[in-house]
């Protein structure tokens, strides 16, 4: 059974890594997310994909709404991250999921979008 946790080691926290991701990474849009990803062959821990979740204040002023959407996104990623095949690849992967709409979508729509994003990223670095 695949590991379905989301430990701290799988979250993108380094300011330098975030800057490099947004400067050099490839991006795309699958409603309601804008996503950016960067495959890094020189990564220290290549077996781990690091991810950043963002819900901008520009679209959702209330913190409770931003937190709700961030929780839904994290849960969808946590359950679907096996699509990436993290243990089988030689590269490190950094990615950001940015919720980019004013609507508060139900969990099943968010989960479907995250699944499509992960599939497109997995296809992109194979």
């Amino acid at each position: 059974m695949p590991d379905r946790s989301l430990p701290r080691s799988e979250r993108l926290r380094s300011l330098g890594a975030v800057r490099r991701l947004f400067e050099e990474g490839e991006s795309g849009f699958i409603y309601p997310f804008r996503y950016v990803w960067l495959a890094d062959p020189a990564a220290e821990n290549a077996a781990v994909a690091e991810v950043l979740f963002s819900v901008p204040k520009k679209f959702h002023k209330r913190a409770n709404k931003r937190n709700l959407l961030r929780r839904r996104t994290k849960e969808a990623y946590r359950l679907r991250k096996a699509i990436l095949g993290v243990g089988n690849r030689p590269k490190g992967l950094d990615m950001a999921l940015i919720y980019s709409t004013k609507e508060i979508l139900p969990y099943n729509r968010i989960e479907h979008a995250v699944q499509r994003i992960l599939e497109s990223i997995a296809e992109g670095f194979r």
Side-chain angles (χ1 to χ4, degrees):
M1 185 167 174
D3 181 25
R4 293 194 171 186
S5 63
L6 186 60
R8 188 171 183 175
S9 63
E10 292 183 16
R11 295 189 211 140
L12 188 61
R13 302 181 315 273
S14 166
L15 183 62
V18 172
R19 184 176 290 130
R20 187 174 64 247
L21 172 66
F22 284 102
E23 288 175 356
E24 301 171 14
E26 299 178 39
S27 66
F29 183 83
I30 293 180
Y31 183 81
F33 293 100
R34 178 173 158 310
Y35 63 95
V36 182
W37 65 280
L38 177 66
D40 186 11
E44 294 174 10
N45 194 354
V48 175
E50 292 185 350
V51 64
L52 168 87
F53 303 98
S54 177
V55 181
K57 199 177 207 180
K58 175 181 178 180
F59 296 130
H60 299 282
K61 304 294 184 201
R62 304 288 303 243
N64 61 341
K65 292 178 183 176
R66 290 194 307 273
N67 290 340
L68 171 74
L69 294 168
R70 195 174 304 115
R71 280 195 310 269
R72 287 179 181 176
T73 306
K74 282 182 181 181
E75 181 69 4
Y77 174 79
R78 184 183 71 81
L79 294 175
R80 300 292 183 174
K81 69 180 180 177
I83 293 170
L84 294 173
V86 174
N88 307 344
R89 59 188 171 73
K91 299 179 181 180
L93 174 69
D94 293 343
M95 75 168 138
L97 297 174
I98 302 142
Y99 193 88
S100 299
T101 184
K102 290 185 177 185
E103 292 181 63
I104 297 178
L105 296 176
Y107 173 75
N108 58 1
R109 297 261 319 261
I110 291 173
E111 183 181 30
H112 181 67
V114 169
Q115 179 178 353
R116 287 180 49 212
I117 289 168
L118 295 177
E119 288 169 352
S120 69
I121 291 173
E123 193 65 35
F125 67 62
R126 283 198 179 120

